[in-house]
Amino acid sequence: SQTIHQWPATLVQPVGSPLSLECTVEGTSNPNLYWYRQAAGRGLQLLFYSVGIGQISSEVPQNLSASRPQDRQFILSSKKLLLSDSGFYLCAWAAGGPETQYFGPGTRLLVL
Amino acid sequence: QQQVKQSPQSLIVQKGGISIINCAYENTAFDYFPWYQQFPGKGPALLIAIRPDVSEKKEGRFTISFNKSAKQFSLHIMDSQPGDSATYFCAASWDFNKFYFGSGTKLNVKP
């Protein structure tokens, strides 16, 4: 069966510090991978998605970036965090065919 | 521009009642409509999904009703239970590479 992991689970960072969130998927190959941000009490905002290694599509201009160095690894990064980057970050995967997305447990980021 | 509009934002239902959440979309190319359930501090989990070739899909107490001509779909939770209290998201997809989510409905089922 497929499993998706995210870490860390919780992160508190000062404004201006760098960020690296990691997501890995097990039990599948060549998945589509996604990063979402969910502000408190709000919906899901798609940040990036990837259909293959090194292929990243950005949905929202921001100070965040994403990379996919391996087939089942997706990384969300920032060089300098802003207060507005606080939120709940969710990684998801999909098989790319007529299938839905499956979400990881999320990382709660608080920028102070 | 929001691709999928969801209502209501919050919903209070008595135990045993019916919870109804509505979504509307504009892009007629959408061909896959999942619903997700999210508990606090957790990632959303797939609840039920439908394709536009059927008007209704039922799984246990959860039913999706789909109206292609009106470009609307809804989630019905029959015999709502306190354990159903969560945030529900509708979504739509047309190329399976991108999913568009509604803004969410926070459901509170009162005992």
Side-chain angles (χ1 to χ4, degrees):
Chain A
S1 64
Q2 298 84 11
T3 311
I4 180 168
H5 303 279
Q6 283 186 249
W7 64 89
T10 305
L11 190 60
V12 181
Q13 292 284 94
V15 170
S17 64
L19 173 73
S20 180
L21 302 181
E22 189 165 345
C23 171
T24 59
V25 182
E26 297 177 356
T28 187
S29 59
N30 196 31
N32 289 348
L33 296 172
Y34 307 81
W35 278 113
Y36 290 87
R37 177 169 57 205
Q38 185 177 28
R42 303 290 295 277
L44 298 164
Q45 180 187 32
L46 178 63
L47 301 175
F48 301 95
Y49 71 96
S50 171
V51 299
I53 296 175
Q55 300 178 60
I56 308 294
S57 296
S58 175
E59 290 297 299
V60 181
Q62 60 220 330
N63 69 320
L64 299 172
S65 62
S67 62
R68 184 170 177 174
Q70 300 180 45
D71 180 45
R72 290 170 290 176
Q73 184 184 30
F74 205 23
I75 297 173
L76 183 69
S77 304
S78 174
K79 293 182 179 179
K80 287 186 178 182
L81 283 169
L82 307 173
L83 286 175
S84 58
D85 291 324
S86 294
F88 192 44
Y89 287 83
L90 290 158
C91 180
W93 75 273
E99 296 285 343
T100 194
Q101 291 185 338
Y102 299 92
F103 286 85
T107 293
R108 187 160 303 282
L109 172 66
L110 179 60
V111 182
L112 300 175
Chain B
Q1 179 186 1
Q2 193 172 4
Q3 296 268 5
V4 180
K5 296 182 179 179
Q6 184 173 346
S7 63
Q9 188 174 11
S10 62
L11 183 62
I12 299 174
V13 175
Q14 292 293 324
K15 178 182 175 181
I18 301 174
S19 304
I20 302 175
I21 304 170
N22 301 299
C23 284
Y25 63 96
E26 288 297 324
N27 189 344
T28 56
F30 287 144
D31 59 2
Y32 186 72
F33 302 89
W35 283 90
Y36 287 85
Q37 179 187 56
Q38 184 181 31
F39 293 105
K42 304 294 184 183
L46 176 67
L47 192 60
I48 187 172
I50 197 169
R51 300 189 192 281
D53 54 344
V54 297
S55 60
E56 185 177 281
K57 183 174 182 180
K58 184 176 181 180
E59 290 184 3
R61 295 184 294 109
F62 301 92
T63 300
I64 299 179
S65 296
F66 187 83
N67 187 330
K68 189 173 182 178
S69 61
K71 292 186 286 186
Q72 295 176 348
F73 58 110
S74 59
L75 176 69
H76 297 236
I77 306 175
M78 311 300 288
D79 188 26
S80 299
Q81 299 296 312
D84 297 330
S85 297
T87 299
Y88 293 81
F89 292 96
C90 62
S93 171
W94 65 276
D95 65 358
F96 304 111
N97 286 334
K98 289 173 63 174
F99 287 74
Y100 298 90
F101 284 82
S103 54
T105 296
K106 189 172 184 179
L107 172 64
N108 185 8
V109 181
K110 298 261 187 207

